[in-house]
């Protein structure tokens, strides 16, 4: 059990002027380095979801660990997971219930208007398509919300507004996140029960890591405030500046403090 409390080994020192890895190289490197931690994370996530009502908090905690992997920083898997789980339980639950209700309403709307299109008028297919778009918007907003919740100290209202703005303001990353999710959904959930073993071992944590790879750079660049202030001239090519004006920002929440506490164990 001790291995669950120990941090993974630190990466070798990399010169500051070293060229950045290409995105696909960084993804493959991270998968290779974190393979066993992803299996552990998958197991902890599944066990913590057993009470059902804890699922949103488990998603937040898993996002915290996945974002740490993306940041390529040291972490204590067991300690950091449960700290994020407990700290953000309430806001995770409220957001999870909100997302569940919206997805359910829009899904029912989709089926209703799709059936009308077949029985009454083909034009109702447009309303059904709009319902699909709304489901996708809610999903992508959740992809931003839960990692953001685990990383920064912001009120729930600000987190929700940030998430919705970034769905459109960071369109390329939003598209990458939903594509990653759909690939996971089709290959894993769509192939049940054949894929049950894959889901139980690493499938869920791997999907979370891929989504965090997609959304974390936008969160880091436009929401997280570095300890040294960013200059006003900084910009990100794939983010719409006019949309980002409404974003709330904050310093990363409790990262250093948690690592120091974990090192005492």
């Amino acid at each position: 059990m001790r291995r669950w409390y120990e941090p993974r080994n630190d990466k070798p020192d990399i010169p500051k002027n070293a060229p950045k890895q290409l995105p696909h190289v960084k993804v493959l490197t991270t998968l290779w380095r974190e393979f066993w931690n992803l299996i552990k994370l998958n197991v902890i996530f599944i066990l913590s979801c057993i009470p059902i009502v804890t699922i949103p908090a488990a998603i937040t905690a898993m996002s915290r660990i996945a974002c740490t992997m993306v940041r390529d920083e040291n972490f204590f898997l067991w300690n950091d997971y449960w700290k994020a789980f407990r700290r953000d339980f309430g806001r995770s639950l409220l957001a999870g219930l909100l997302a569940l209700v919206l997805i359910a309403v829009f899904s029912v709307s989709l089926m209703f208007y799709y059936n009308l299109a077949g029985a009454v008028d083909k034009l109702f297919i447009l309303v059904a398509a709009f319902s699909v778009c709304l489901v996708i918007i809610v999903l992508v907003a959740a992809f931003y919300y839960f990692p953001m919740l685990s990383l920064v100290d912001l009120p729930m209202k600000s987190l929700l507004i940030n998430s919705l703005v970034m769905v459109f303001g960071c369109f390329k990353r939003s598209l990458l996140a939903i594509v990653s999710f759909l690939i996971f959904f089709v290959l894993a959930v769509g192939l049940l029960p054949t894929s049950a073993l894959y889901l139980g071992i690493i499938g869920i944590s791997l999907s979370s890591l891929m989504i965090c790879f997609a959304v974390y750079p936008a969160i880091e660049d436009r929401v997280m405030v570095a300890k040294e202030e960013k200059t006003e001239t900084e910009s990100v090519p794939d983010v719409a500046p006019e949309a980002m004006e409404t974003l709330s920002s904050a310093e990363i929440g409790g990262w250093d403090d948690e690592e120091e506490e974990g090192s005492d164990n």
Side-chain angles (χ1 to χ4, degrees), residues 182-199:
L182 290 177
I183 291 175
F184 160 78
F185 186 84
V186 172
L187 295 181
V189 180
L191 294 178
L192 286 172
T194 307
S195 60
L197 183 61
Y198 163 72
L199 286 173

Side-chain angles (χ1 to χ4, degrees), residues 3 16 28 30 47-48 77-78 85 90 105 123 168 184 219 230 239-240 245 248:
R3 295 296 302 174
K16 292 183 178 180
L28 293 176
T30 303
L47 292 177
S48 62
L77 178 58
W78 183 266
F85 183 96
V105 170
L123 289 177
F168 303 99
F184 160 78
I219 296 174
K230 294 184 178 181
V239 177
E245 292 178 359
S248 300

